Amino acid sequence: MFDTLTDKLNAVFKKLSGKGKLSEADVDAALREVRLALLEADVNFKVVKDLLARVRVRAVGEEVMRSLSPAQTVIKIVNDELIATLGEPAKIDLSGEPPHVVMLIGLQGAGKTTAAAKLALQLRKHQQKPLLVAADTRRPAAIQQLQTLGKQIDIPVHSEPNTVPPPTICANAVKRASDGAYSVVLLDTAGRLHIDDDLMRELEEVKQKTHPQEVLLVVDAMTGQEAVRVADEFHKRVGLTGLILTKVDGDARGGAALSVRSVTGVPIKYLGTGEKTDALEPFFPDRLASRILGMGDVLTLIEKAQETINQEQAQKAAEKLLKAQFNFEDFLEQLQAIKKMGPLSQLLGMVPGLNQISKELPADVTDQQMKRIEAIINSMTRQERQFPEVLNGSRRKRIALGSGTSVQEVNQLMSQFKQMQRMMQQIKSGKTRGMFPGIPGLGI
Ligand SMILES: Nc1nc2c(ncn2[C@@H]2O[C@H](COP(=O)(O)OP(=O)(O)OP(=O)(O)O)[C@@H](O)[C@H]2O)c(=O)[nH]1
Ligand SMILES: [Mg+2]
């Protein structure tokens, strides 16, 4: 799903994360590449323009300049604005008295019949009693296709001879559901190759006769901007309440998904992600955005960190950090907290922008390094840990010997530690700000 786009965006962010502070020129260069990636993904040009304008305002503003990790802050801003472009999570509306009528419309082969079955299955899981309605009398095998699907998932299908006009079939089905036997009536209407007046008239008549609570347009995500155009026209002529974007599993680019909401104003409600009847996902803009960015699961990471790191301990460490009293004892404590969260390579894989890097690392190299750092700190005396400035040459030699490392490694740790202290000084003076302030010591 959206692999091509994800790869391209990842390449842009990887370049960024190699830099420390970002200049306005760095940000502009990166955003030019993001723009290209989005256009190549067939995202509507106006959507791209608006999105990047919003990102730029924030990215060259204080938000990034003041941040502890500029590259990741840029990723976060792009993520935020992608979410805004995708719209809000939109649930199917089943408020009020049943039966609720849900009408599925769309062009030929978009996936209406499949989506009807998927939706029925999902609604039954939510304690609804769905009735599927075969309202496609045009295509010879259409009624049978829905009946077969209905049998597969054990959900009843209302059908009538194909000589009965579809609006009548739909009205009869709603009547059948009105005695309380069914709570949702799903109308699987006929498709056409193109939008034509005949189709629109038929759909309007079905609408008049059944008063659907939801009119969902089923569109094929793989058709990119064509899907957006189709959605726009259907919305103008029939009036839609939502969209089901199908075949997202085969869509490497994501252009339709990213544009359709902005262009048409109609919310996406579901994504079809496969041919099987369980391949239907409710639409969550934030999850889709992180998939597009290949961000890994940042939320999981934050949750994991919150679970593992004792809040009180974290608070204390944060206060010390800010007072720049942070010493090797605190450092060790933080290191151990991180270790409890799991292998470092796995954690890196969950951090946006670092998941690529983590793939390139041998699985346990960073864990090895952590162990060595721990050994070095453990070989220090209490006084040395608390007051690292006493660590002169002979003490360093003793520590290297005691921890089975080299003086070089001890020196390296010392300079890393000093760097960290300097960073903390900057935070204290308000020059930088962390992206995840709740997770001190994690450095992200
Ligand atoms: N990979 C994938 N295939 C899908 C998805 N949804 C539907 N399909 C396939 O797309 C083809 C058309 O699906 P249908 O549900 O018959 O489409 P329709 O809109 O009802 O078509 P008409 O009734 O002819 O207008 C079928 O082969 C489905 O298996 C999806 O989310 N992913
Ligand atoms: Mg069909």
Side-chain angles (χ1 to χ4, degrees), residues 108-114 118 139 145 191 247 249 272-275:
Q108 222 167 65
K112 294 176 293 298
T113 307
T114 314
K118 289 174 174 178
R139 196 161 56 80
Q145 184 193 358
K247 309 185 194 179
D249 51 312
T273 55
E275 295 194 48

Side-chain angles (χ1 to χ4, degrees), residues 433-444:
R433 202 175 57 219
M435 192 166 143
F436 299 120
I439 317 175
L442 208 53
I444 53 170

Side-chain angles (χ1 to χ4, degrees), residues 286-300:
D286 50 347
R287 290 187 202 168
L288 193 65
S290 51
R291 265 192 218 170
I292 290 172
L293 288 182
M295 300 234 309
D297 206 339
V298 187
L299 279 179
T300 315

Side-chain angles (χ1 to χ4, degrees), residues 178-197:
S178 297
D179 64 1
Y182 303 101
S183 62
V184 186
V185 182
L186 295 157
L187 310 177
D188 175 30
T189 64
R192 298 282 198 288
L193 270 179
H194 304 286
I195 298 172
D196 61 37
D197 289 336

